[in-house]
Amino acid sequence: MGSPLLEQVRRNGPVPRHVAIIMDGNGRWARARGRPRYEGHREGMRSVREAIEGAIEAGVEILTLFAFSHENWQRPAREIRALMNLLVRYAREEGPELERQGVQVHAIGEVDGLPPAAARAVADLVERTRAGARLRLVLALNYGARGEIVRAARRLAERVRCEGLDPAAIDEAAFVAELYTAPWPDPDLLIRTSGEHRLSNFLLWQLAYTELYVTPVLWPDFTREDLFQAILDYQRRERRFGRVPV
Ligand code: IPE
Ligand code: IPE
Ligand code: MG
């Protein structure tokens, strides 16, 4: 509380309902300190807390965090092990606090493809926070957007074969219903940290009309003030959706 940026966000009015974040720059943060990449990931957990608390303070309804991509399996085994251990630790240690804060956790991606201990920890976290009504926290784990789109196409094909779905009846709404993100509206604002201007296979369908915000801040240095700054920037944008200005 008492943040001038937050007060400005509130004065400005509409806050993005759904904010998505590509949490990037952990490795560079560690390297700049001559420390192993793992330590950057560990520090990044604090930023996750900051983002969640900032989202709650600002009144964001849905916060989606890209935590581990399909492509991240190509990293060294040691780093993957460290990331999975951190995920288990996060789920266990933060569970009670998330529950207290009214955060309802969801997971998208091939969660079953995670190592069993990680998959179980995530399932437990989802279960224990089910009653949360203040913020929906969507964790993208073992997630890739192209894989998600192909999966949706496959599921529709199965419905054509098994349920007699008419291919002519497949419209955008039918497609959206088969995406992992079906329960939520598309992100209004996408934040990427560490200065990279790319999507890295994140929510390719859902970001069609999302406002993009890139900050040079490395993820372990990200605070709620950076979130408020991004929201302020968003509030100055004019979203047109292909129409002319009003
Ligand atoms: C983001 O930080 C964390 C994950 C992708 C899991 P990086 O590990 O990608 O950090 P950089 O991009 O190498 O600095
Ligand atoms: C995207 O970051 C994935 C996550 C943040 C989990 P990466 O660091 O893996 O993306 P690239 O390799 O820079 O595109
Ligand atoms: Mg990276």
Side-chain angles (χ1 to χ4, degrees):
M1 284 295 136
S3 156
L5 287 180
L6 178 58
E7 276 161 32
Q8 218 177 315
V9 162
R10 292 203 172 126
R11 260 200 314 276
N12 282 359
V15 165
R17 280 185 72 191
H18 185 175
V19 175
I21 308 182
I22 301 177
M23 310 184 287
D24 198 13
N26 296 351
R28 276 162 281 173
W29 183 93
R31 194 175 58 204
R33 287 160 180 76
R35 310 231 293 260
R37 294 178 60 85
Y38 158 80
E39 293 194 22
H41 298 313
R42 199 183 54 200
E43 280 301 307
M45 306 237 295
R46 208 172 26 83
S47 306
V48 170
R49 230 170 282 142
E50 281 287 309
I52 291 169
E53 288 171 16
I56 291 173
E57 288 175 7
V60 169
E61 292 172 44
I62 306 148
L63 178 67
T64 297
L65 301 179
F66 200 7
F68 192 82
S69 78
H70 249 141
E71 290 74 24
N72 289 150
W73 292 114
Q74 297 168 61
R75 294 190 177 200
R78 261 182 57 195
E79 180 170 351
I80 294 173
R81 249 192 327 271
L83 280 165
M84 293 302 147
N85 287 340
L86 274 176
L87 177 60
V88 171
R89 239 185 70 191
Y90 177 81
R92 288 204 191 122
E93 290 174 10
E94 302 288 314
E97 180 62 10
L98 291 170
E99 195 180 353
R100 198 191 59 74
Q101 289 171 320
V103 177
Q104 185 184 60
V105 181
H106 299 263
I108 61 169
E110 284 177 53
V111 181
D112 292 342
L114 294 173
R120 215 173 315 115
V122 171
D124 289 347
L125 182 63
V126 167
E127 181 55 35
R128 96 172 283 161
T129 59
R130 259 171 70 164
R134 252 166 117 201
L135 175 74
R136 282 176 194 160
L137 174 66
V138 182
L139 301 176
L141 294 161
N142 193 12
Y143 173 87
R146 288 182 173 178
E148 176 186 38
I149 290 170
V150 169
R151 172 180 174 271
R154 196 186 313 118
R155 287 160 65 97
L156 285 170
E158 277 162 12
R159 288 183 51 203
V160 167
R161 195 177 59 180
C162 305
E163 297 171 25
L165 173 67
D166 179 0
I170 298 175
D171 55 9
E172 289 191 12
F175 198 86
V176 163
E178 302 298 340
L179 295 173
Y180 290 123
T181 51
W184 312 291
D186 291 338
D188 300 292
L189 170 64
L190 172 77
I191 300 171
R192 182 160 187 158
T193 58
S194 87
E196 304 295 352
H197 290 70
R198 57 175 172 265
L199 296 178
S200 300
N201 203 14
F202 188 45
L203 302 177
L204 296 182
W205 173 286
Q206 298 87 340
L207 296 175
Y209 270 102
T210 301
E211 295 295 326
L212 311 180
Y213 180 89
V214 174
T215 169
V217 172
L218 302 175
W219 181 248
D221 291 326
F222 189 89
T223 68
R224 69 192 74 195
E225 297 296 314
D226 295 304
L227 175 69
F228 301 152
Q229 196 69 65
I231 295 176
L232 280 174
D233 197 88
Y234 167 87
Q235 288 173 325
R236 285 194 292 269
R237 310 273 181 99
E238 181 191 33
R239 302 186 77 186
R240 292 194 184 177
F241 302 99
R243 295 186 286 257
V244 293
V246 284

